[in-house]
Amino acid sequence: MSVVVIGAGLSGLSAACHLVGRGHEVTLVERHDAAGGRGLRLRRDGFTFDTGPTVMTMPDLVGDALTAAGTSLHDALPMRLLDPAYRARFDDGSQILVRHGVEAMRQEIADTCGSVDAASFVDFVDWLRKLYRVEMPHFIDANFDSPLDLMANPRAAARLVRLGGFRRLGPVIRDWFRDERLHRLFSFQALYAGLSPENALALYAVITYMDSIEGVWWPEGGMDAVPAALATAASKAGADLRYGATVSRLVLDRRGAVAGLELESGERIRADAVVCTLDLPTAYEQLLPQLSAPRVVRSGSYSPSAVVWHVGARGLPAEGTAHHNIHFGSDWDGAFRALIDDRRLMPDPSRLVSVPSLTEPGLAPPGDSALYVLEPVPNLSAGIDWEREREPMRERLHGFLTANGYPDEVLTEELVTPLEWQQLGMHQGTPFSLAHTFLQTGPFRPGNLDRRVPGLVFAGSGTVPGVGVPMVLVSGKLAAERVDAYLPGPHHGRDTR
Ligand SMILES: Cc1cc2nc3c(=O)[nH]c(=O)nc-3n(C[C@H](O)[C@H](O)[C@H](O)COP(=O)(O)OP(=O)(O)OC[C@H]3O[C@@H](n4cnc5c(N)ncnc54)[C@H](O)[C@@H]3O)c2cc1C
């Protein structure tokens, strides 16, 4: 049975690996000339930049896809653990390193915040582990057909309630720690889910577990090595990868079921099933114009976006700079209020600065630095005029680099705003898709099937389980399970699930 996957981002590559491992005949079509999706590579003036994700967590999920396609993480994608995972800088000039390993982090907290919080950290890790163990198999790595599926395993649901998963993240973290800096350090991850810690459910502390406890990794060569390894594995296992091929519409049979797709070139590719990884609103608009998208896709609440400034700069950063540096602004609650409630730029922004050339010097000419500066900003529903706002934003980011000990003589640069994310097909100009409010999570998130179109399966950040590298890798696997259920029969795959 032939399956076509649209999109060689991480979700599409994961789907392709899992599908080919299950014995399907797989074709993957990608409009760009390389794999990577949001995480494409930009090479300029001797500098190399990764344009999308930089914080790589849960490498075993990449490993699952690689194993499904007959190779392994160890063989195909060597990675280095980053310790510290982050250097957090606060407005009072202090800093806390997020160290790898419970003992190292306990000691760091003891040194910076005192013994009471250090002791709490050990129990906090235990709580995070329990949360992760109940959420991963039952609520993340799971296909849902209806909200009732939440109760498919009542014991798991009850356990999540007992662990406080349905309380709000902000207050839960405040219960664990006294030092306000730790509140920020262990709850800012809510923003990855498009929410403020005060609105995010405590179950999103699993993101904190994934980065602060399980660790942040660096794939040798750069983030781009992840899609490259998955693409190579899928191809070696027999998938046909076609780059420079833009899909213009899905072809349906008389029943309305998937029969294939048409490329912009006019070529048609037959398919028994299609896995589509476009942002959901764009998928409906461009590939299925005859159908209206589900309500939550059309009018749900979309996450804030981000401005990313890629800078090739002369010189090296100040001593003590880490690969990933989070600079917290002073007014924490005000920042979230501005960004999410009022939909305006944060008055005193928190920013992420990654300096991958510290870990991988080949990304910059000798003695220079490749910098990635990210500031969360409202998505396009805020009506900010980014044509006008670009230059002032660049100036502010430049001043911020200067003030914080980063090299600031710009040799080459690229500023990406919500306008560019929109041009790439991301609804409301956000690369982070639907926010993970309760009613846009799990069985309430747009599902990966549209019952009106048998044989069509979605993957990627707009569907289950959600946003971010670990989640979209899982979404690819969930999509492969859906295809298997739709196209039953012996596929003789090596993926044993
Ligand atoms: C700036 C930024 C920073 C991020 N930071 C992190 C981070 O640190 N850690 C983390 O875990 N996550 C992070 N994320 C989120 C993470 O990168 C995404 O959730 C994930 O990469 C999305 O993968 P995807 O496969 O769903 O989508 P995509 O990567 O967008 O893949 C979709 C693919 O479909 C292709 N396509 C679209 N239309 C067509 C068409 N008509 N025909 C053919 N092909 C088509 C596109 O070219 C693309 O390759 C970040 C994202 C961004 C943008």
Side-chain angles (χ1 to χ4, degrees):
M1 294 291 201
S2 60
V3 186
V4 178
V5 178
I6 311 176
L10 293 174
S11 62
L13 291 164
S14 166
C17 285
H18 284 286
L19 284 164
V20 81
R22 289 154 188 255
H24 295 281
E25 192 186 302
V26 177
T27 304
L28 187 149
V29 282
E30 164 58 49
R31 63 182 171 181
H32 290 133
D33 292 333
R38 274 155 233 220
L40 277 178
R41 198 141 244 223
L42 177 68
R43 287 195 177 81
R44 189 172 290 173
D45 302 322
F47 292 88
T48 305
F49 304 101
D50 285 310
T51 56
T54 55
V55 180
M56 174 73 208
T57 59
M58 307 300 287
D60 284 354
L61 295 173
V62 188
D64 287 350
L66 291 169
T67 306
T71 177
S72 71
L73 189 64
H74 179 266
D75 291 336
L77 190 59
M79 289 204 199
R80 227 184 296 181
L81 184 72
L82 295 180
D83 188 8
Y86 302 104
R87 174 183 68 135
R89 298 265 299 165
F90 300 91
D91 63 310
D92 62 0
S94 65
Q95 73 172 35
I96 301 176
L97 301 180
V98 177
R99 297 292 317 280
H100 186 70
V102 177
E103 178 46 31
M105 189 61 198
R106 193 200 63 74
Q107 190 59 53
E108 175 72 9
I109 295 177
D111 294 345
T112 52
C113 308
S115 57
V116 175
D117 278 345
S120 289
F121 177 71
V122 176
D123 296 333
F124 176 63
V125 173
D126 189 46
W127 174 73
L128 286 178
R129 278 216 170 90
K130 288 181 181 148
L131 209 55
Y132 177 76
R133 283 190 191 133
V134 69
E135 282 182 44
M136 192 59 176
H138 299 295
F139 304 106
I140 296 175
D141 190 0
N143 272 313
F144 294 102
D145 290 313
S146 98
L148 290 176
D149 288 352
L150 260 188
M151 294 312 291
N153 188 329
R155 284 180 59 187
R159 193 159 164 68
L160 196 52
V161 172
R162 272 202 308 279
L163 286 167
F166 293 101
R167 291 180 60 203
R168 300 288 152 174
L169 183 61
V172 166
I173 299 293
R174 286 197 288 278
D175 284 352
W176 277 108
F177 301 106
R178 295 178 176 184
D179 194 304
E180 206 197 317
R181 293 171 301 167
L182 294 177
H183 301 162
R184 297 180 182 196
L185 201 55
F186 293 131
S187 70
F188 80 86
Q189 293 85 350
L191 194 54
Y192 292 160
L195 301 168
S196 77
E198 297 310 307
N199 285 327
L201 294 176
L203 51 87
Y204 283 111
V206 285
I207 312 179
T208 308
Y209 174 78
M210 290 178 183
D211 65 3
S212 301
I213 311 303
E214 282 288 315
V216 173
W217 299 78
W218 174 253
E220 300 290 343
M223 287 300 293
D224 159 78
V226 180
L230 289 167
T232 304
S235 169
K236 276 192 184 157
D240 179 16
L241 272 53
R242 298 187 52 182
Y243 296 108
T246 303
V247 178
S248 55
R249 70 179 186 98
L250 287 187
V251 178
L252 309 182
D253 67 14
R254 270 186 300 170
R255 287 186 305 138
V258 162
L261 44 79
E262 193 170 291
L263 302 181
E264 267 182 2
S265 61
E267 183 190 349
R268 280 194 177 195
I269 304 178
R270 205 195 67 75
D272 297 302
V274 164
V275 175
C276 174
T277 71
L278 275 64
D279 211 19
L280 257 61
T282 311
Y284 279 97
E285 198 181 296
Q286 295 185 356
L287 308 186
L288 287 162
Q290 69 277 32
L291 291 185
S292 69
R295 193 199 51 79
V296 63
V297 171
R298 279 182 280 122
S299 52
S301 142
Y302 278 75
S303 289
S305 183
V307 162
V308 183
W309 192 32
H310 301 285
V311 186
R314 191 183 306 287
L316 299 172
E319 183 105 4
T321 303
H323 185 122
H324 295 302
N325 307 270
I326 304 175
H327 296 258
F328 288 104
S330 58
D331 182 6
W332 183 238
D333 294 335
F336 283 107
R337 232 184 354 263
L339 186 64
I340 294 173
D341 301 335
D342 304 344
R343 289 184 292 162
R344 55 190 173 85
L345 296 175
M346 291 185 275
D348 181 18
S350 296
R351 299 177 172 120
L352 168 73
V353 182
S354 298
V355 194
S357 51
L358 283 176
T359 308
E360 189 90 32
L363 298 179
D368 294 337
S369 301
L371 306 172
Y372 171 111
V373 188
L374 182 148
E375 178 176 322
V377 299
N379 64 38
L380 288 178
S381 68
I384 294 173
D385 178 354
W386 281 103
E387 293 296 356
R388 229 181 45 201
E389 200 48 55
R390 291 180 77 82
E391 201 44 39
M393 171 61 83
R394 183 207 176 271
E395 287 312 304
R396 285 194 298 273
L397 294 178
H398 189 251
F400 159 80
L401 287 185
T402 307
N404 286 280
Y406 295 99
D408 62 356
E409 186 182 338
V410 177
L411 300 174
T412 191
E413 63 183 302
E414 179 80 22
L415 186 85
V416 184
T417 74
L419 280 185
E420 281 76 32
W421 299 125
Q422 185 187 46
Q423 279 155 15
L424 284 170
M426 296 169 209
H427 190 60
Q428 292 189 358
T430 174
F432 308 114
S433 197
L434 277 174
H436 280 265
T437 58
F438 178 65
L439 289 176
Q440 297 182 170
T441 292
F444 305 110
R445 204 167 177 76
N448 53 9
L449 297 182
D450 185 323
R451 304 276 172 206
R452 295 169 295 179
V453 189
L456 172 63
V457 184
F458 294 108
S461 44
T463 181
V464 285
V467 182
V469 171
M471 299 298 153
V472 302
L473 290 165
V474 171
S475 84
K477 176 171 164 247
L478 294 175
E481 285 171 11
R482 290 294 202 186
V483 170
D484 256 6
Y486 178 69
L487 301 174
H491 305 299
H492 309 296
R494 59 170 75 80
D495 186 356
T496 52
R497 271 160 283 175

